[in-house]
Amino acid sequence: MNYGPSVASDEDTLKIYGYRTSKARTIAFWTLSIVTLGISRLFLHWSEKLYIKVRATPCNLDQADMMLVIDDHDVHTIRPVVETKAATGEHLVLPNERGDEMIQVDRFKWFTFRKMKYVWFESECKYITPADIDSTCPSFRAQIKAQDSIRLSVAIWHSNQYAAYAR
């Protein structure tokens, strides 16, 4: 099997593949599940690799709405890709890959795996964890302006959907 890009996080090196669902495959999947009284769904639940092949087609990571994540122990896990969009007229603020500058974005994509969040950086065309950004940031640059820090906190706070609790 030809693996996708590698993403290193702490002790693990993950291999990730991007997949995109379609209405036709979704309809076929649920029709098959109903016709077989759930037996096909049960078999697909046991095999993540087969499940993703039935549900979606391979695509570039920037177009994916599902990720097939393969860890060091060859365990296959499917994770949904979430897209967070800024409200009309507003921007979200994220650090760049080096962590030395804040950038404004209208939206960003991310997925979680084992309680770690992987954020898609379009400029680098790869997923990066916030911990990786912190580790590459020199300590004297880590003390960013309070205003930028608040914006980053709001962006992360919004991406975790805490905004619904604040209302």
Side-chain angles (χ1 to χ4, degrees):
M1 179 179 240
N2 184 15
Y3 291 113
S6 296
V7 177
S9 68
D10 294 336
E11 320 147 352
D12 294 331
T13 300
L14 307 175
K15 306 234 184 332
I16 56 173
Y17 291 102
Y19 285 86
R20 185 153 194 78
T21 57
S22 68
K23 287 184 181 182
R25 283 185 177 257
T26 300
I27 291 169
F29 170 76
W30 287 111
T31 302
L32 182 65
S33 295
I34 292 168
V35 168
T36 62
L37 301 174
I39 294 173
S40 64
R41 178 68 180 102
L42 181 63
F43 284 121
L44 292 175
H45 178 76
W46 289 332
S47 174
E48 298 277 339
K49 212 178 340 181
L50 186 57
Y51 175 83
I52 196 81
K53 286 182 181 182
V54 170
R55 285 294 314 264
T57 55
C59 68
N60 293 331
L61 295 178
D62 62 334
Q63 300 170 348
D65 56 14
M66 296 174 86
M67 290 290 169
L68 175 62
V69 182
I70 305 170
D71 68 6
D72 290 336
H73 306 288
D74 203 34
V75 175
H76 294 65
T77 307
I78 298 170
R79 302 300 305 154
V81 175
V82 179
E83 184 172 357
T84 300
K85 295 181 181 180
T88 306
E90 296 182 8
H91 294 284
L92 299 171
V93 179
L94 294 174
N96 64 2
E97 181 194 358
R98 294 178 306 279
D100 61 352
E101 185 179 322
M102 301 302 280
I103 55 175
Q104 289 186 350
V105 294
D106 295 325
R107 65 181 178 86
F108 65 93
K109 292 182 174 187
W110 53 277
F111 71 93
T112 58
F113 179 71
R114 295 187 183 155
K115 298 187 182 185
M116 294 267 310
K117 200 172 267 191
Y118 296 85
V119 180
W120 176 254
F121 281 83
E122 289 190 33
S123 60
E124 304 296 327
C125 294
K126 64 180 178 178
Y127 280 94
I128 303 171
T129 66
D132 291 339
I133 294 171
D134 287 345
S135 67
T136 60
C137 179
S139 59
F140 66 90
R141 291 183 182 169
Q143 299 174 354
I144 57 179
K145 294 185 242 169
Q147 181 182 1
D148 290 341
S149 178
I150 291 170
R151 287 183 190 157
L152 176 62
S153 297
V154 170
I156 291 172
W157 184 65
H158 180 70
S159 71
N160 285 331
Q161 299 174 350
Y162 291 126
Y165 295 112
R167 294 182 188 162

